Amino acid sequence: MTTLTDARPLALDPDRLLPVEPGTREIARRLYAAVSELPIISPHGHVPPEWLADDTPFTDPTSLLVAPDHYVFRLLHAQGVSLTDLGVGGRPLTAEGSRRAWRLLAEHWTAFRGTPSRFWMDSVLADVFGVTERLSRESADRIFDRIADTIDAPHFRPRALMDRFGIEVLATTDDPVDDLHHHRTLREDAGFAPRVVPTFRPDRYLEPSRADFADLMTDLARASSIDTGSYQGYLAALEDRRRFFKANGAVSSDHSHADVVTLSLDEKEAARIYDAALRGVVSPTDATAFRRHMLVEMARMATEDGLVMTLHPGVHRSHHTPTLQRFGPDTGHDIPTTVEFTRGLQPLLDRFGTADGFQLILFTLDETVLSREIAPLAGFYPSVYAGAPWWFLDAPEAVRRFRGAVTETAGFYRTSGFIDDTRAFLSIPARHDMSRRLDSGYLAQLVAEHRLDEDEALETAVDLVTTIPRKAFKL
Amino acid sequence: MTTLTDARPLALDPDRLLPVEPGTREIARRLYAAVSELPIISPHGHVPPEWLADDTPFTDPTSLLVAPDHYVFRLLHAQGVSLTDLGVGGRPLTAEGSRRAWRLLAEHWTAFRGTPSRFWMDSVLADVFGVTERLSRESADRIFDRIADTIDAPHFRPRALMDRFGIEVLATTDDPVDDLHHHRTLREDAGFAPRVVPTFRPDRYLEPSRADFADLMTDLARASSIDTGSYQGYLAALEDRRRFFKANGAVSSDHSHADVVTLSLDEKEAARIYDAALRGVVSPTDATAFRRHMLVEMARMATEDGLVMTLHPGVHRSHHTPTLQRFGPDTGHDIPTTVEFTRGLQPLLDRFGTADGFQLILFTLDETVLSREIAPLAGFYPSVYAGAPWWFLDAPEAVRRFRGAVTETAGFYRTSGFIDDTRAFLSIPARHDMSRRLDSGYLAQLVAEHRLDEDEALETAVDLVTTIPRKAFKL
Amino acid sequence: MTTLTDARPLALDPDRLLPVEPGTREIARRLYAAVSELPIISPHGHVPPEWLADDTPFTDPTSLLVAPDHYVFRLLHAQGVSLTDLGVGGRPLTAEGSRRAWRLLAEHWTAFRGTPSRFWMDSVLADVFGVTERLSRESADRIFDRIADTIDAPHFRPRALMDRFGIEVLATTDDPVDDLHHHRTLREDAGFAPRVVPTFRPDRYLEPSRADFADLMTDLARASSIDTGSYQGYLAALEDRRRFFKANGAVSSDHSHADVVTLSLDEKEAARIYDAALRGVVSPTDATAFRRHMLVEMARMATEDGLVMTLHPGVHRSHHTPTLQRFGPDTGHDIPTTVEFTRGLQPLLDRFGTADGFQLILFTLDETVLSREIAPLAGFYPSVYAGAPWWFLDAPEAVRRFRGAVTETAGFYRTSGFIDDTRAFLSIPARHDMSRRLDSGYLAQLVAEHRLDEDEALETAVDLVTTIPRKAFKL
């Protein structure tokens, strides 16, 4: 491979990601200027609430920037780097191991060219750590040291960063039996202004084929003080935990199953399957039917308690069994599959699609459904919103494709607003900034093509980071 | 939401939808100038023929511009507006109700930003009604009054507008048992120059699972004077009605079923299913097989009578049952699904794909088939044409994606030319204008990239609105 | 149709296919300048090795440029030209027939506007034959004569052209029982510098449903001197032929089946199906299972002998039976279908996805899998590479869509580098040149958007035609 002279400067261009055509860029600059400093609303993500409740100092650069970011370590793994050497899977790295892992990142930095991880990391290094040279084999140690020095400082604790980042609302993702004491701690702290809300994520409790299903039901009974020995008790316990979450600030429930097929079993049939599941003798077909039925039940409960329902379907989890066995889940080999919404959601929407207050946000990793299914659904049902590009699609060109596929059928006001969906806490501002730049560019293009007046584009750009996410997530 | 100062001007920019890069825009302007004033050929649409035969005056702005346009009222419905308040589903609005509905449109006008409905409505308001201010809550009444005043004038009758719009050919969509007397009235009127032709749309008569199938067969027998008590009679009756349509100017038959799977049953089997259907005892599997068989029979008849065959498959009709029950079909909740052509059409194309004079135009709402299936089929079979972007895809970015997906495999000369597919009569010029602007832009891009010389682009731009639709639809 | 004045100049613009925005074009020019003259690496293609071994003179323009190019003759067929008149299907054309066929191409040249065939043909005519006027009905004979004159010259023999074209590596595609004597001839010729390597293409030998399967097994036994009367012998014979190919320079095996579903049968079951296949009594289900099993066996063998494995799935071969019967296979009516990798390849990748030295390159004609499946797989598995756009997708806009869909998830360094996949020998430089221009443009766009520094873009552009294909194909 040709080699580069090292020690190149790192500087974030003020026009990054804006349209390259000069006239359109001028418009985009004006739109972006109106939104760049607005507070961040992050209604769906994976930051651990204890980081904020305990205001835990970060330990080292790799644990902060590499090990928790599956976008980053998956591509290193593809380059032949061992996950062990990156601290993935829970085994903590020594100080020297952390430095070695950082060097591995630097050595393979070319692998990230053109990816959003590169864009976010550059933003974090420059904006958060004041790094002024590009990451490379030669600069790796200097940058590592600078990060390590910075994260020691008190102004670098999570709560201080929330403030510095301008995060107004941050949603975490939580287990239904969680006691949410971290969230209460934060709410009760008068000195902590941001709103940190939990999200009800019941996937495991809706999958009766799981080997640990009976244990989960025991946990659910304990948390809710409701006997889950019967299907009726199970429903009541779930309703109870949803109310508890709502009382503790939750605005939404989140669901990520293999598909979004929905159906309604009659109560006797549902009870029969539930009983079999408790006894560990449920058939795969019954288990799938029950999960699909429970998705409709979640919608039914949503019409009662008002939690927004978000769907993130269509991922083959833990594709590589040996890696799962060695490093656990969420280790970079969840691979998307096709997904279908039109037929799958029809039973659910037939019952609740126009129900008062019901809101359903549809996310996808299968881009083909955007223009074909999600936008047409969001363009008719008052309950349905097109979710922002998610996961692999949370990247500049994928975001442009998203707007291109959705807007012409559903406009801007049937979309969810940006979600960062991340546990890479430091990258939250860079991710929202990326989204604002791209939306400014998309709107500028509409103006440049005379499809929209600039005053309207400006209003829409502002709405996209204020009223639109607030409405979609009932904030 | 931030609010806008109202009373903004409405002015159609002469460069709207053309490429924003100045050099490419210059080329596109020259191409567009060559086609902008050419007559409109509309070979597939849904304008009611009685509007033209009776030259009925339009009654009020909402009945003209909102109630018949499912693109418009569906997005209002998604914003929470009741279909009742918009006059959807046949119940006529009072004068005050019409004004109130128009105000609802104006209040929710932001919802349409970025959609083609916005573009078309602006074009209609400015070009047809001379409106010079943007639609808003504040301007709604003034614009309503201006429209109401204008549609009273005699020069605003449908026939006069046909002339003003430069519509040379207009195809309607008609039931096989229709007596086509409106079309005859128009043809026999020496003072009426445009060619208004019917289209044979037999869907209902090919679906033996319908509860009213036996009644439909009675209607078909009456219309054709052929006994439909047997499968042979049924085929003969369909052939007869196709000939009748052809004699009355029809150039094509149109088909929109759930899929485009085709197969050929043997005659005895087809007759058995037909008999069961007449007696109301057909199985769903048999009914589906019969419909798929009949699609091949339609192709067979087309090789005999020369009608072009157009397919518009892949829509889940009337997705929301409560809305269907209350407001009827075609009320904004037809939602697309995946569709497959390669395997599905193989039996049909094996028999008739190279048959003399056979022409089959493939439309899709599932964009994935454009580069994968439709363009390769149209790039080999002399009978197959890639249909223009349709319905949800009849929008600027979707049209660009269409050209991008189809041209490199099938070129321009295996496509159908634009169809407007609309019953929104006043928007017909704006829709064709949009298509011409986008094709000029696409061709200009090819010139700017030195993939095509400008004289060739110019010729192609003209062909796309003259020779190409005439050839695809045998006009 | 409007007609053009004939005799227009043909001149290749130095900026063709580069971005049209002037600033971005400037960057792209600099990137392209660094790669335009680098040698060609062609690791997958269909040039007959005997052309080079025998250094056969080309006979006539049509046999050279039309009859072997299914991209060209398929679109002529769609225009109504008979394949017979184009010399397709093996029946050689007379001198007069060759000229008539060339005139047919010229008469239908408009059909190719916007296609890559047009781009390649223009490049070949201008660059290789020095033609200076555009192909047209009027210029057809002059251009035909110029080509005919040129191909007579000794400097126009295949070997001389290899040199002139700067082809450093050229892979052919070969049957497992081929004795590869053409490749040996070339390797043993000290005066012939380029590396011409065979590719192991065993499709037919892995499909037990074929009527000629037993005959194929006899051929395989003869070639390997291993008794293929048992499943174990069959495996040993395949392993032997792979070793033979490797010893003769092969670096990869290529596989093109209807799907890429994989599974592992137990040995007894595999043997049972093999035995049934030899006796011609295999069931379709068993035959499919066996082929899917054998794909995993090919991967297993690859981990042993080190051949790279390339998959080109998802084509419905010979869609139109009458054309197949009359003209044979590969006559322009292979039509793509949907394809699925995530679930299908899971069994194979579970076993070999992280195996030492295993490399698997995934190609697709179904663009939907690029962002959804291929890029995520290539972004985790060290063995998986995203194959360059192939066949119908080897065209400017499809290539841009490919980079847009893959880069953000898998970067550049998990892709295969360009493959031309062609038997149209003269177009090889034009195809690689197209790819280099498009990649320069894509990288320039990243630079213009400040997502990448120009020195990095330059390094990447060079890597894409040097280290990247060398690594993916172990060259």
Side-chain angles (χ1 to χ4, degrees):
Chain A
M1 193 185 295
T2 36
T3 55
L4 291 172
T5 311
D6 280 317
R8 300 278 175 148
L10 171 64
L12 305 182
D13 192 281
D15 287 331
R16 59 196 185 280
L17 296 183
L18 299 188
V20 299
E21 194 280 312
T24 317
R25 181 171 279 190
E26 274 303 321
I27 303 167
R29 277 178 184 154
R30 291 192 292 268
L31 302 180
Y32 174 67
V35 297
S36 64
E37 299 299 326
L38 293 180
I40 289 173
I41 296 174
S42 174
H44 180 81
H46 296 276
V47 171
E50 58 270 29
W51 286 9
L52 296 166
D54 303 343
D55 211 20
T56 329
F58 301 109
T59 59
D60 65 281
T62 296
S63 304
L64 179 61
L65 296 172
V66 179
D69 191 337
H70 57 79
Y71 290 71
V72 170
F73 67 68
R74 69 193 307 284
L75 208 44
L76 290 173
H77 180 265
Q79 291 293 318
V81 176
S82 155
L83 294 184
T84 308
D85 292 340
L86 298 170
V88 173
R91 272 161 297 193
L93 293 167
T94 62
E96 195 41 42
S98 173
R99 184 179 295 273
R100 270 201 308 268
W102 185 258
R103 285 177 189 157
L104 285 169
L105 175 67
E107 280 165 30
H108 292 280
W109 198 223
T110 53
F112 291 86
R113 289 176 184 166
T115 70
S117 295
R118 159 66 186 264
F119 183 85
W120 296 325
M121 187 68 85
D122 276 358
S123 298
V124 168
L125 294 178
D127 264 355
V128 182
F129 295 105
V131 172
T132 57
E133 58 182 338
R134 204 165 69 198
L135 184 61
S136 69
R137 198 184 295 252
E138 197 273 335
S139 66
D141 276 358
R142 286 193 302 275
I143 293 174
F144 183 89
D145 291 336
R146 182 168 186 109
I147 299 170
D149 287 352
T150 309
I151 62 183
D152 268 353
H155 71 268
F156 210 79
R157 297 285 176 81
R159 288 196 185 190
L161 288 175
M162 281 286 280
D163 191 50
R164 173 171 164 195
F165 291 168
I167 301 175
E168 198 173 280
V169 178
L170 182 77
T172 63
T173 299
D174 309 273
D175 194 283
V177 305
D178 195 296
D179 66 8
L180 304 180
H181 72 277
H182 295 309
H183 294 85
R184 269 200 306 282
T185 302
L186 290 166
R187 214 166 56 251
E188 287 162 5
D189 181 347
F192 184 69
R195 188 171 162 194
V196 178
V197 303
T199 300
F200 188 78
R201 173 76 173 257
D203 295 357
R204 302 192 298 156
Y205 301 82
L206 310 182
E207 294 271 15
S209 58
R210 290 179 64 97
D212 59 356
F213 189 72
D215 295 340
L216 289 166
M217 292 306 102
T218 306
D219 296 346
L220 184 61
R222 189 177 308 119
S224 63
S225 305
I226 293 175
D227 182 358
T228 57
S230 72
Y231 171 64
Q232 283 306 336
Y234 165 69
L235 290 185
L238 285 170
E239 287 167 354
D240 176 80
R241 295 310 295 167
R242 291 176 61 105
R243 277 193 301 269
F244 176 78
F245 267 65
K246 179 120 197 235
N248 280 278
V251 296
S252 69
S253 73
D254 182 43
H255 307 269
S256 181
H257 298 285
D259 61 52
V260 286
V261 179
T262 60
L263 56 83
S264 289
L265 300 170
D266 71 36
E267 196 176 323
K268 229 172 98 181
E269 178 69 356
R272 183 189 65 73
I273 299 174
Y274 182 77
D275 293 345
L278 280 189
R279 286 178 289 120
V281 296
V282 72
S283 74
T285 308
D286 277 354
T288 299
F290 187 87
R291 184 250 292 161
R292 292 170 174 176
H293 164 81
M294 283 307 299
L295 216 55
V296 181
E297 285 300 294
M298 286 290 124
R300 194 257 307 155
M301 293 178 198
T303 64
E304 292 164 10
D305 60 30
L307 290 182
V308 173
M309 191 168 182
T310 69
L311 302 185
H312 290 86
V315 189
H316 186 119
R317 300 278 174 187
S318 297
H319 196 262
H320 191 238
T321 315
T323 300
L324 170 68
Q325 287 166 347
R326 188 154 170 218
F327 297 97
D330 302 321
T331 44
H333 46 110
D334 294 346
I335 309 290
T337 61
T338 52
V339 68
E340 203 280 340
F341 289 87
T342 300
R343 296 182 194 95
L345 286 179
Q346 198 277 332
L348 188 156
L349 290 171
D350 225 32
R351 281 183 62 186
F352 303 116
T354 57
D356 263 2
F358 180 59
Q359 295 187 191
L360 178 67
I361 310 182
L362 306 179
F363 295 88
T364 186
L365 295 171
D366 175 355
E367 298 183 75
T368 70
V369 300
L370 289 172
S371 74
R372 190 179 62 222
E373 305 179 22
I374 289 181
L377 289 167
F380 173 76
Y381 286 104
S383 56
V384 177
Y385 292 79
W390 163 55
W391 199 341
F392 296 106
L393 303 179
D394 176 15
E397 288 166 86
V399 168
R400 290 173 186 142
R401 291 197 298 270
F402 167 81
R403 288 280 173 221
V406 166
T407 309
E408 297 187 320
T409 293
F412 294 97
Y413 291 84
R414 305 300 309 149
T415 63
S416 72
F418 184 69
I419 64 159
D420 55 66
D421 192 43
T422 194
R423 63 187 302 117
F425 182 59
L426 292 196
S427 73
I428 290 177
R431 288 168 190 253
H432 286 260
D433 183 61
M434 183 183 94
S435 171
R436 292 169 187 197
R437 290 173 179 277
L438 294 166
D439 283 343
S440 298
Y442 184 79
L443 286 159
Q445 182 75 21
L446 291 182
V447 174
E449 293 184 5
H450 307 288
R451 297 173 63 189
L452 204 60
D453 293 333
E454 189 169 331
D455 66 314
E456 298 175 292
L458 191 70
E459 187 187 66
T460 305
V462 172
D463 284 344
L464 280 169
V465 295
T466 54
T467 59
I468 284 172
R470 286 190 184 284
K471 185 178 173 217
F473 281 91
K474 297 188 178 176
L475 286 162
Chain B
M1 191 185 297
T2 36
T3 55
L4 291 172
T5 312
D6 281 317
R8 300 278 175 148
L10 170 65
L12 305 181
D13 192 281
D15 286 333
R16 61 194 184 280
L17 297 183
L18 299 187
V20 299
E21 195 279 313
T24 317
R25 181 171 279 188
E26 274 303 319
I27 303 167
R29 277 177 184 153
R30 291 192 291 269
L31 302 180
Y32 174 66
V35 296
S36 64
E37 300 297 327
L38 293 179
I40 289 172
I41 296 173
S42 174
H44 180 81
H46 296 277
V47 172
E50 57 270 30
W51 287 10
L52 297 166
D54 302 343
D55 211 20
T56 329
F58 299 110
T59 60
D60 65 281
T62 297
S63 304
L64 178 61
L65 297 173
V66 179
D69 190 337
H70 57 78
Y71 289 71
V72 170
F73 67 69
R74 69 194 305 284
L75 208 45
L76 290 173
H77 181 264
Q79 292 292 320
V81 176
S82 154
L83 294 184
T84 307
D85 291 341
L86 298 171
V88 173
R91 270 162 298 193
L93 293 167
T94 61
E96 195 42 40
S98 173
R99 183 178 295 273
R100 271 200 309 267
W102 185 258
R103 285 178 188 156
L104 286 169
L105 175 68
E107 280 166 30
H108 293 281
W109 199 222
T110 54
F112 291 86
R113 288 175 185 166
T115 68
S117 294
R118 160 67 186 264
F119 183 84
W120 295 325
M121 187 69 84
D122 276 359
S123 298
V124 169
L125 293 179
D127 264 355
V128 181
F129 294 106
V131 172
T132 57
E133 59 182 336
R134 204 165 70 198
L135 184 59
S136 70
R137 198 185 294 252
E138 197 272 335
S139 65
D141 276 358
R142 285 193 302 275
I143 293 174
F144 183 90
D145 290 337
R146 183 171 185 106
I147 299 170
D149 287 351
T150 309
I151 62 182
D152 267 354
H155 70 271
F156 211 80
R157 298 283 177 82
R159 288 196 184 189
L161 288 175
M162 283 286 280
D163 191 49
R164 173 170 165 197
F165 291 167
I167 301 175
E168 198 172 278
V169 178
L170 182 77
T172 62
T173 299
D174 309 273
D175 193 284
V177 306
D178 195 296
D179 66 7
L180 304 180
H181 71 276
H182 295 308
H183 294 84
R184 268 200 308 281
T185 300
L186 290 166
R187 214 167 56 252
E188 287 162 4
D189 181 347
F192 184 69
R195 186 171 163 194
V196 179
V197 303
T199 300
F200 187 78
R201 173 77 173 257
D203 295 356
R204 303 193 295 157
Y205 301 82
L206 310 182
E207 294 274 14
S209 59
R210 292 179 63 98
D212 60 354
F213 189 71
D215 296 339
L216 288 166
M217 292 306 102
T218 306
D219 296 346
L220 185 61
R222 189 175 309 121
S224 63
S225 305
I226 295 174
D227 182 358
T228 57
S230 72
Y231 171 65
Q232 284 306 336
Y234 164 70
L235 291 184
L238 285 170
E239 288 167 353
D240 176 80
R241 295 310 295 167
R242 291 175 61 106
R243 278 192 301 269
F244 176 78
F245 268 63
K246 179 118 196 238
N248 280 278
V251 296
S252 70
S253 73
D254 182 44
H255 307 269
S256 180
H257 299 286
D259 62 50
V260 286
V261 179
T262 61
L263 55 83
S264 289
L265 300 170
D266 69 37
E267 196 175 323
K268 226 172 101 181
E269 178 69 357
R272 183 189 65 72
I273 299 175
Y274 181 77
D275 293 345
L278 280 190
R279 286 177 289 120
V281 296
V282 73
S283 74
T285 308
D286 277 355
T288 299
F290 188 86
R291 184 250 292 160
R292 291 169 174 177
H293 163 80
M294 284 307 298
L295 216 54
V296 181
E297 285 301 294
M298 286 290 124
R300 194 257 307 156
M301 293 177 197
T303 63
E304 292 164 10
D305 59 31
L307 290 182
V308 174
M309 192 169 181
T310 70
L311 300 185
H312 289 87
V315 189
H316 186 120
R317 300 278 174 186
S318 297
H319 196 261
H320 190 239
T321 315
T323 300
L324 171 67
Q325 287 166 345
R326 188 154 167 216
F327 297 97
D330 302 321
T331 45
H333 46 111
D334 294 347
I335 309 290
T337 62
T338 51
V339 68
E340 203 278 342
F341 289 85
T342 301
R343 295 181 194 97
L345 286 179
Q346 199 275 333
L348 188 157
L349 290 171
D350 226 33
R351 281 182 64 185
F352 303 115
T354 56
D356 261 2
F358 180 57
Q359 294 188 191
L360 178 67
I361 310 181
L362 306 179
F363 295 88
T364 185
L365 295 172
D366 175 355
E367 298 183 75
T368 70
V369 300
L370 289 172
S371 74
R372 190 179 63 222
E373 305 179 22
I374 289 180
L377 289 168
F380 172 76
Y381 287 105
S383 56
V384 176
Y385 291 79
W390 162 53
W391 198 340
F392 295 107
L393 303 178
D394 175 16
E397 288 166 85
V399 168
R400 289 173 187 144
R401 293 197 297 272
F402 167 82
R403 286 281 172 220
V406 166
T407 309
E408 297 186 321
T409 293
F412 294 97
Y413 291 84
R414 305 300 308 149
T415 63
S416 72
F418 184 69
I419 62 158
D420 55 67
D421 193 42
T422 195
R423 61 186 304 118
F425 182 59
L426 291 197
S427 73
I428 289 176
R431 289 167 189 254
H432 286 261
D433 183 61
M434 183 183 93
S435 171
R436 292 170 186 196
R437 290 173 179 276
L438 294 166
D439 282 343
S440 298
Y442 183 80
L443 285 160
Q445 182 75 22
L446 292 181
V447 174
E449 292 185 6
H450 306 289
R451 298 173 65 190
L452 203 60
D453 294 333
E454 189 169 329
D455 65 315
E456 298 175 293
L458 191 71
E459 186 187 67
T460 306
V462 172
D463 284 344
L464 280 169
V465 295
T466 55
T467 59
I468 285 173
R470 286 189 184 285
K471 184 176 172 219
F473 281 91
K474 299 189 177 175
L475 286 163
Chain C
M1 193 185 295
T2 34
T3 55
L4 290 172
T5 310
D6 280 318
R8 300 276 176 148
L10 171 64
L12 304 182
D13 192 279
D15 286 332
R16 61 196 184 279
L17 295 183
L18 298 187
V20 298
E21 195 280 313
T24 317
R25 181 171 279 189
E26 274 303 319
I27 303 166
R29 277 177 184 153
R30 292 192 291 267
L31 302 180
Y32 174 67
V35 296
S36 64
E37 300 298 326
L38 294 179
I40 288 172
I41 296 174
S42 174
H44 180 82
H46 296 276
V47 171
E50 59 270 29
W51 288 10
L52 297 165
D54 303 342
D55 210 20
T56 330
F58 300 110
T59 59
D60 66 281
T62 296
S63 305
L64 178 60
L65 296 173
V66 179
D69 190 337
H70 57 78
Y71 290 70
V72 170
F73 67 68
R74 68 193 308 284
L75 208 44
L76 290 172
H77 180 264
Q79 292 292 319
V81 176
S82 155
L83 294 183
T84 307
D85 292 340
L86 298 170
V88 173
R91 270 162 297 194
L93 292 168
T94 61
E96 194 42 40
S98 172
R99 182 178 296 272
R100 270 200 310 267
W102 185 258
R103 286 178 188 157
L104 285 170
L105 175 68
E107 279 165 31
H108 292 281
W109 199 224
T110 53
F112 291 87
R113 288 175 184 167
T115 69
S117 295
R118 159 67 186 265
F119 183 84
W120 296 324
M121 188 69 83
D122 276 359
S123 299
V124 168
L125 293 179
D127 264 356
V128 182
F129 294 106
V131 171
T132 57
E133 58 182 337
R134 203 164 71 198
L135 184 60
S136 70
R137 198 185 294 252
E138 198 272 334
S139 65
D141 275 358
R142 285 192 302 274
I143 295 175
F144 183 89
D145 291 336
R146 182 170 186 106
I147 299 170
D149 287 351
T150 309
I151 61 184
D152 267 354
H155 71 269
F156 210 80
R157 296 283 177 83
R159 289 195 183 192
L161 288 175
M162 281 287 280
D163 191 49
R164 173 170 164 197
F165 292 167
I167 301 175
E168 198 172 280
V169 179
L170 181 78
T172 62
T173 299
D174 309 272
D175 194 283
V177 305
D178 195 296
D179 66 6
L180 304 179
H181 72 275
H182 294 309
H183 294 85
R184 268 200 307 282
T185 301
L186 290 166
R187 214 167 56 252
E188 288 162 5
D189 180 347
F192 184 68
R195 187 171 163 195
V196 178
V197 302
T199 300
F200 188 78
R201 173 77 173 256
D203 296 355
R204 303 193 296 158
Y205 301 82
L206 310 182
E207 296 271 16
S209 58
R210 292 178 63 99
D212 60 354
F213 189 72
D215 295 340
L216 289 166
M217 293 306 101
T218 305
D219 296 346
L220 185 60
R222 188 176 309 119
S224 63
S225 305
I226 294 175
D227 181 357
T228 57
S230 72
Y231 171 65
Q232 284 306 336
Y234 164 69
L235 290 184
L238 286 170
E239 288 167 354
D240 176 82
R241 295 310 295 167
R242 291 175 60 105
R243 278 193 301 269
F244 176 78
F245 267 64
K246 179 117 196 239
N248 280 278
V251 296
S252 69
S253 72
D254 182 43
H255 306 270
S256 181
H257 298 286
D259 61 52
V260 286
V261 179
T262 60
L263 55 83
S264 288
L265 300 171
D266 70 37
E267 195 175 322
K268 225 171 100 182
E269 178 69 356
R272 183 190 63 73
I273 299 174
Y274 182 78
D275 293 345
L278 280 190
R279 286 177 290 120
V281 297
V282 72
S283 75
T285 309
D286 277 356
T288 300
F290 187 86
R291 184 250 293 160
R292 291 169 173 176
H293 163 81
M294 283 308 298
L295 216 54
V296 181
E297 284 301 293
M298 286 290 123
R300 194 256 308 154
M301 293 178 198
T303 64
E304 292 164 9
D305 59 31
L307 290 183
V308 174
M309 191 169 181
T310 69
L311 302 185
H312 289 87
V315 188
H316 186 119
R317 299 278 174 187
S318 297
H319 196 261
H320 191 238
T321 316
T323 301
L324 171 67
Q325 288 166 344
R326 189 154 167 215
F327 297 98
D330 302 321
T331 44
H333 46 111
D334 294 347
I335 310 289
T337 61
T338 52
V339 68
E340 204 278 341
F341 289 87
T342 301
R343 296 182 192 95
L345 287 179
Q346 199 276 333
L348 187 156
L349 290 171
D350 226 33
R351 283 182 63 185
F352 304 114
T354 57
D356 264 2
F358 180 58
Q359 294 187 192
L360 179 66
I361 311 182
L362 306 179
F363 294 88
T364 185
L365 295 172
D366 176 355
E367 298 182 75
T368 71
V369 300
L370 290 172
S371 75
R372 190 179 62 222
E373 306 179 22
I374 288 180
L377 289 167
F380 171 76
Y381 287 103
S383 56
V384 176
Y385 292 79
W390 163 54
W391 198 340
F392 295 108
L393 303 177
D394 175 14
E397 288 166 86
V399 168
R400 290 174 187 143
R401 292 196 299 270
F402 167 82
R403 287 282 173 220
V406 166
T407 309
E408 297 187 321
T409 293
F412 293 98
Y413 292 84
R414 304 300 308 148
T415 63
S416 72
F418 184 69
I419 62 159
D420 56 67
D421 192 42
T422 194
R423 62 187 303 117
F425 181 60
L426 291 197
S427 73
I428 289 178
R431 288 167 189 254
H432 286 260
D433 182 61
M434 183 182 92
S435 172
R436 291 169 187 197
R437 291 174 178 275
L438 294 167
D439 282 344
S440 298
Y442 184 80
L443 286 159
Q445 181 76 21
L446 292 181
V447 174
E449 293 184 6
H450 307 288
R451 299 173 63 188
L452 204 60
D453 294 333
E454 189 169 331
D455 66 315
E456 298 175 291
L458 192 70
E459 186 187 66
T460 306
V462 172
D463 284 344
L464 280 169
V465 296
T466 54
T467 60
I468 284 173
R470 287 190 183 284
K471 185 175 172 219
F473 281 91
K474 300 189 178 176
L475 286 163

